[in-house]
Amino acid sequence: MIRDRRRLAAWAFAVVLLAVVLAWWQADRTGAGDPSAGPPPAPSPAPSASAAATPPGTPSVTPSASPSDTGTGTAAPPAGPGTPSPKNCAAPGDCGYPDARSTGPRIALERHDTGNMTVRKDGTVIKGWDIRGSLDIYANDVTVIDSRITSANWWGINLRPGFSGLKVLHTTITAVPGKGPDNGGVNYAVSNMGGSSIEVGWCDISVFGNALSMGQGDLHDNYVHDIVAFRNQGGEWQHTDAVISGGGNKGRLTIRHNTLLNSTAVDRGATAAVGLFADTGTVTSVVVEDNWLAGGAYALYGGGPGATGIQVTDNVFSTQYHPNSGAYGPVTAWNAGGAGNVWRGNRMSDGRPVTPQPAG
């Protein structure tokens, strides 16, 4: 009997001892028995959607002030597509418009003293040429790309009637003042004499009196600047325009996201940054969108009383030469009642809205 009691006591002691050992082992494994060990760290919060979408190294952007933050009580007018707010528009390139940094050839060039060269083979591609001369195009689907043209002819590039598909891209087109055939002047950087559309894009254009001359085409992302005044063979100051169209066009003329500057003085022939004139017929089907316009007598001539299908939207009329963009104002000859004519979102570079006067 006594032996059974001793055996029972021994088993009880063994069970208690085992329980103590197991408790000590569990505490040691979890760290709960270590006074220096705190609770396990909480999981990091998931990044917000905006933070997750920002690549590493991207600088933070401070939100623009609300009207109450600025103390003005009124919000700035909304900017057009791809155009910064007017308060930032001090210079074209600083505001996302084309300048010397974003236009012209992107590759090294090889000099070609071509003189006044005629192109007659369809599909010709001229790339990487530094041309001393001009190009007269009697062919279809010609491309001039990543090149430079320094002309002493009437034009830099001329497309003849009956031919189509010309593209002039990433090219510098200029001339030597005083060396042109029009009493020392040069007239057209790119001229479209026919009824087909051509494309001129990302080009750096200077010197020529009427830089881009055509009734139909796609003119985009070009930088036209430093037009040089000259007296023509008639002894009069040649009229100067960054873009000029004489009316009677058979297709659409699109003028989109260009910097078009005409710094010529009015008494030396300045006419417009964009001149839509009814010289040879009614002006129709023209888009003038999101351009930086400055200079001329008026920065924009709008086509006159008979013009239709003219869309002028989201352009900046710069004050860099004149307080009202052109010497006499930002716009004239606008036909507000013409079918399909649209005037919207146009403003001065200092933020003032531009409202045209009715065409006379």
Side-chain angles (χ1 to χ4, degrees), residues 192 196-200 214-220 251-255 287:
N192 184 5
S196 64
S197 181
I198 71 176
E199 181 183 1
V200 183
M214 61 196 67
Q216 46 276 318
D218 182 8
L219 313 178
H220 63 88
R252 178 178 292 275
L253 176 61
T254 300
I255 306 166
V287 172

Side-chain angles (χ1 to χ4, degrees), residues 167-324:
K167 296 180 183 292
V168 184
L169 309 172
H170 297 286
T171 292
T172 295
I173 310 171
T174 190
V176 180
K179 299 295 184 181
D182 196 356
N183 199 27
V186 288
N187 293 73
Y188 312 110
V190 182
S191 174
N192 184 5
M193 299 175 67
S196 64
S197 181
I198 71 176
E199 181 183 1
V200 183
W202 303 286
C203 290
D204 183 327
I205 299 168
S206 61
V207 180
F208 292 88
N210 287 302
L212 296 172
S213 175
M214 61 196 67
Q216 46 276 318
D218 182 8
L219 313 178
H220 63 88
D221 301 288
N222 300 294
Y223 175 44
V224 181
H225 60 102
D226 293 308
I227 292 173
V228 174
F230 64 93
R231 292 187 184 273
N232 57 30
Q233 291 181 348
E236 300 174 340
W237 286 108
Q238 176 69 24
H239 285 241
T240 61
D241 304 87
V243 175
I244 185 170
S245 178
N249 48 301
K250 299 177 175 60
R252 178 178 292 275
L253 176 61
T254 300
I255 306 166
R256 180 177 286 119
H257 199 250
N258 303 277
T259 297
L260 304 174
L261 310 179
N262 186 352
S263 59
T264 308
V266 174
D267 61 0
R268 294 168 66 88
T271 307
V274 173
L276 307 178
F277 303 112
D279 294 338
T280 58
T282 302
V283 180
T284 61
S285 192
V286 180
V287 172
V288 183
E289 180 183 8
D290 190 25
N291 300 281
W292 177 282
L293 309 176
Y298 291 90
L300 172 68
Y301 279 76
T308 59
I310 315 299
Q311 301 175 34
V312 182
T313 60
D314 299 312
N315 297 282
V316 174
F317 289 79
S318 170
T319 61
Q320 64 193 91
Y321 303 130
H322 308 287
N324 289 311

Side-chain angles (χ1 to χ4, degrees), residues 18-38:
L18 179 61
V20 170
V21 170
L22 288 174
W24 174 85
W25 177 82
Q26 179 70 14
D28 184 66
R29 185 176 69 86
T30 62
D34 184 357
S36 65

